[in-house]
Amino acid sequence: MNIKAAIPNTITLGNLAFGITGIVLTFETNMLGAAICMVLAAVLDFFDGLAARALGVSGELGKQLDSLADMVTFGVLPAIMLFQYISIGFGEYFIPISDRPIAHIVLEFSGFLYALFAALRLAKFNIDENQSDSFIGVPTPAAALFVASFSLILSVQYNLNMYFPLGDAQLASLMQMNYWSPFDFHLVYNLFYPEWYIAMSIFLSLMMVAPVTMLNFKFKELSWSKNKHRYVFLLIVGFLLVITFLPYWFYLPGFPYLDYTVIPLIILIYMIYSLVYHFTGPTSYNPKN
């Protein structure tokens, strides 16, 4: 048995274990726990490939195992989370599926579109040699973390019981009690709308298989000329992080506290930035350079 080869594979299996645990938690009124499992799995997903390259044991087994683990953690788990978000939006999280209106069931199952397109994206990644050093379509971990971030926003940032939609009067009361800004009010208000998560499922599904070269951060050298698009995006991320912490450093009346909202914001900007650069950048653009 090759001990070195077992190290990255064990890390990958840890990713899978967190994905399975997260799936269980979505049905146990613990969407926050599911989101945390996904974040931890994403960390392991980063380090398994890093460990394989560092130990010189990259191989077909690790590649296939990684895709299978990713399908569960970044394909099935976020799809179930989307299903549950939509169910919560309809006020049906605790209602058996057989007792729900047919129209609602159809809309709730639209969340599983995400899993179907994630499977397609991962299968294409495994056979596409053009993706060895770059990404074509949004990577599944980025799309999955976008989905998971809303559990963090509702449960941690706003400390809400996210399993029951809030009415206008309840939101108005919370706004006064917690000194929410209009930004906070409208964000929470919209995050309990099922239509938002249906649109999210469709949008992310299409973005994962879109024939668009996405920004990657596999630096082969550190020169500005070869990595300008990467450095510009990192500067944007740095600016957003400063804005996130700014209200904690200085008193700024009316300035929104982004907190965990910065996670989906960064991922959304990543997608938009990649799309813009793909279609408007120089014809010589090649993310492998």
Side-chain angles (χ1 to χ4, degrees), residues 85-155:
Y85 288 151
I86 299 168
S87 299
I88 292 168
F90 285 126
E92 297 174 347
Y93 181 85
F94 297 102
I95 298 176
I97 293 177
S98 59
D99 294 338
R100 303 178 188 181
I102 294 296
H104 286 188
I105 294 174
V106 172
L107 292 173
E108 287 159 1
F109 271 71
S110 68
F112 292 117
L113 281 173
Y114 179 100
L116 304 180
F117 281 84
L120 182 58
R121 196 246 182 272
L122 289 166
K124 289 174 64 177
F125 180 82
N126 276 1
I127 63 173
D128 189 352
E129 295 182 357
N130 292 326
Q131 295 198 58
S132 60
D133 294 310
S134 62
F135 300 125
I136 307 236
V138 174
T140 51
L145 289 172
F146 186 87
V147 173
S149 64
F150 296 101
S151 288
L152 295 170
I153 292 170
L154 289 172
S155 297

Side-chain angles (χ1 to χ4, degrees), residues 176-193:
Q176 293 180 340
M177 290 172 56
N178 297 308
Y179 301 100
W180 284 356
S181 67
F183 169 83
D184 297 310
F185 176 85
H186 290 292
L187 176 64
V188 173
Y189 181 81
N190 284 288
L191 288 185
F192 279 106
Y193 264 83

Side-chain angles (χ1 to χ4, degrees), residues 213-230:
T213 303
M214 306 300 292
L215 189 67
N216 74 81
F217 297 95
K218 298 177 181 179
F219 289 85
K220 291 188 176 180
E221 59 176 281
L222 299 177
S223 68
W224 169 264
S225 60
K226 295 288 186 180
N227 300 286
K228 180 169 61 175
H229 50 288
R230 297 184 179 98

